[in-house]
Amino acid sequence: MTLRAYQEQDSEIIASWVQDEKTLYQWSADRLGVFPLPPQALNQHYKGCDSSSFIPLTALDDEQNVAGHLFIRYPDEHDRTTVRFGFVIVAPSLRQKGNGKKLLLCALDYAKTQLKAQRVTLGVFENNEKAYHCYASAGFEKTGTYTVPIKGQEWQCIEMSRAI
């Protein structure tokens, strides 16, 4: 698995992976709108992001097919030692096979070598146990919890962190 810069044509492929409403909210925390996710949703969302502190990436498999996606951002514009991963997703056909961990390890390497970061954080909802275990297998540890309003409910989010 390798990472490359996100390209606009990736949006349609990635949007197709979000196959139900619960997955949409577990993945995007209500930042992309309603289900079904429009094919150009990521492009529209990313146009509003500051390109100096926001890096969307696409993972490719050995045959150069789009296999995963995430973004890296700086949560504090004055601190370039900590980055945050978001919108982490792997193609449904590649899940449960170690590819989520591969994606995370590639992104951790990118954050360390390209961005010179020393720490990575992310959040995962408690109701997304498979993702939590994937993050833990890549060395992330729970550092706290917080609540996020999702469709009139309060979802518990686990904050995780890892030194690199």
Side-chain angles (χ1 to χ4, degrees):
M1 188 172 288
T2 59
L3 292 177
R4 66 153 165 78
Y6 170 85
Q7 299 171 359
E8 285 194 2
Q9 65 264 26
D10 300 339
S11 183
E12 188 168 347
I13 296 167
I14 297 163
S16 76
W17 298 341
V18 181
Q19 299 171 345
D20 59 65
E21 189 174 52
K22 182 178 179 183
T23 300
L24 171 67
Y25 294 113
Q26 286 175 323
W27 175 59
S28 69
D30 203 15
R31 290 201 169 80
L32 294 177
V34 297
F35 183 81
L37 190 61
Q40 296 301 315
L42 283 178
N43 294 338
Q44 293 167 357
H45 181 73
Y46 290 169
K47 283 182 180 164
C49 297
D50 176 5
S51 63
S52 69
S53 63
F54 181 84
I55 303 132
L57 299 168
T58 297
L60 303 176
D61 65 15
D62 293 339
E63 289 78 39
Q64 302 303 297
N65 297 309
V66 175
H69 172 71
L70 58 72
F71 66 73
I72 302 174
R73 69 177 177 87
Y74 292 100
D76 180 344
E77 65 184 69
H78 302 294
D79 177 9
R80 295 292 178 160
T81 64
T82 299
V83 296
R84 187 165 184 87
F85 290 174
F87 286 14
V88 179
I89 192 167
V90 173
S93 63
L94 300 176
R95 295 177 189 161
Q96 304 291 324
K97 299 174 184 175
N99 290 299
K101 182 177 180 179
K102 286 180 188 175
L103 170 62
L104 292 166
L105 295 176
C106 287
L108 287 162
D109 182 64
Y110 182 95
K112 182 178 182 176
T113 60
Q114 301 297 312
L115 305 177
K116 308 299 184 214
Q118 299 171 13
R119 175 159 299 284
V120 177
T121 66
L122 57 79
V124 59
F125 288 113
E126 282 184 346
N127 65 3
N128 196 350
E129 291 180 29
K130 290 177 182 174
Y132 175 84
H133 291 295
C134 178
Y135 300 144
S137 75
F140 286 86
E141 296 179 349
K142 180 179 176 178
T143 58
T145 60
Y146 56 97
T147 303
V148 178
I150 302 286
K151 292 193 58 100
Q153 300 175 353
E154 298 292 319
W155 284 20
Q156 291 300 307
C157 191
I158 302 167
E159 182 72 12
M160 300 183 83
S161 178
R162 180 194 154 150
I164 53 174

